[in-house]
Structure formats: C-alpha cells, structure tokens
C-alpha cells in the first residue's frame, strides 16, 4: 500500500486508468488516500464504480478489449464468437464486457458464448446494470493485478486475489 499512498495523484490516476478507463473513477479512488490496507482500497474502488453514470461507463467501455480466447480455440469458435460480438454491439452500441476471473482456460469460450447469448435477451436498461457490474469486477481484478505487479507487500503472492 506504500506505493499507492506515496504516488503522486497523476501517477496513481494513470495506474488506475489501466484498471478502468474512467477518469471519474480513477480520480475518486486516488483522492480518498491514504488507504490502510488492500481491503480498504478495493472497497473504495467498488464504491467509486457504483457511483459512475452511464457516460462514465461509456468512457470505460470505449477502451475495453474483447475477452481473449485460449490460443488453441478452433476457427469455428472464433467465427461463432465474432458473430455473437457483432450481434451484441449492434443491439447495445458498445463492446461486450465480462469478467472471467476464476475460470480455467477450458471454461472461457463456453462461458463467454453463454453469457453473450443470455445477455442479448436483456433490455438496454437491464444490460447497462450488468455492464456496470462487469466493469466494476474487471476494475477490481485489474487493480489487484496492478498492485501485484508493483511488488506490493500487502498481497500474499501464494494466495489467490480477493474475489477470485
């Protein structure tokens, strides 16, 4: 936590933007320092994500990549997934986002396809709620990963990250 608490506001906001590309979210998380521990930081990140308006989420969605598939995925699966992504984007006007933490590589493709098919039945307002939750989960996962990359002592590298 020392790195998070000691970093300049600009430096920390840039790091946070790699977790969720929302300037409002990164600014809110950065301005609530110091954080006594990882749980406090993750709680603040969650709270800031819950407070984001649709415009903030749209900003974050614009920078989101499509979920990565395992390298040995068959061409037919790529085709099916591309079609599902296109249908989703046509219906909702933004990329499909999903947090895949806790899944094995063998589960990823089926989980993504099942989720897209299921979420295509949502009305736009319902999907906005799901998208906000998925972005919040992705931000939290990436924040933990970023802290691990910084050599943060508050995280036990032998145990899974919170929420995984």
């Amino acid at each position: 936590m020392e790195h998070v608490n000691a970093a300049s506001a600009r430096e920390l906001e840039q790091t946070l933007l790699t977790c969720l590309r929302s300037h409002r979210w990164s600014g809110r998380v950065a301005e609530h320092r110091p954080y006594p521990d990882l749980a406090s930081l993750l709680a603040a990140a969650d709270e800031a994500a819950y407070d984001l308006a649709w415009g903030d989420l749209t900003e974050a969605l614009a920078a989101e990549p499509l979920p990565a598939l395992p390298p040995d995925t068959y061409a037919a699966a790529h085709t099916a997934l591309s079609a599902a992504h296109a249908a989703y984007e046509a219906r909702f006007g933004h990329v499909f986002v999903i947090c895949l933490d806790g899944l094995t590589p063998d589960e990823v493709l089926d989980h993504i396809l099942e989720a897209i098919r299921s979420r295509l039945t949502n009305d736009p307002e319902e999907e906005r709620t799901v998208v906000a939750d998925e972005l919040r989960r992705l931000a939290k996962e990436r924040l933990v990963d970023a802290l691990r990359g910084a050599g943060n002592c508050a995280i036990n590298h032998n145990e899974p990250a919170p929420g995984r």
Side-chain angles (χ1 to χ4, degrees):
M1 295 310 311
E2 290 177 31
H3 175 73
V4 169
N5 291 328
S8 71
R10 180 172 164 74
E11 180 184 34
L12 181 56
E13 285 184 38
Q14 290 304 309
T15 299
L16 292 169
L17 284 170
T18 67
C19 301
L20 183 67
R21 197 83 172 144
S22 164
H23 287 86
R24 184 167 180 231
W25 177 82
S26 65
R28 290 209 45 216
V29 174
E31 73 187 22
H32 284 96
R33 292 182 295 166
Y35 294 105
D37 53 35
L38 178 62
S40 299
L41 173 61
L42 294 177
D46 253 5
E47 183 179 328
Y50 280 121
D51 291 341
L52 295 178
W54 183 246
D56 302 314
L57 295 172
T58 301
E59 175 188 25
L61 284 168
E64 279 297 314
L66 294 175
L69 292 177
D72 60 344
T73 304
Y74 295 106
H78 280 283
T79 301
L81 193 56
S82 293
H85 279 292
Y88 181 92
E89 287 187 39
R91 174 147 169 74
F92 297 112
H94 56 78
V95 297
F96 175 78
V97 292
I98 189 167
C99 184
L100 299 171
D101 63 332
L103 297 177
T104 66
D106 292 342
E107 298 170 312
V108 169
L109 177 62
D110 288 339
H111 187 78
I112 292 172
L113 284 171
E114 180 181 320
I116 285 180
R117 287 181 186 129
S118 171
R119 287 170 53 186
L120 277 168
T121 64
N122 290 347
D123 64 56
E125 195 59 36
E126 193 176 24
E127 184 59 16
R128 283 182 178 188
T129 301
V130 174
V131 164
D133 188 52
E134 292 296 325
L135 284 171
R136 182 187 56 78
R137 290 177 61 213
L138 283 167
K140 206 168 168 180
E141 176 185 348
R142 291 170 182 162
L143 184 53
V144 169
D145 289 345
L147 289 173
R148 278 191 177 135
N152 191 304
C153 298
I155 299 174
N156 182 337
H157 294 278
N158 298 321
E159 294 181 13
R164 295 233 178 146

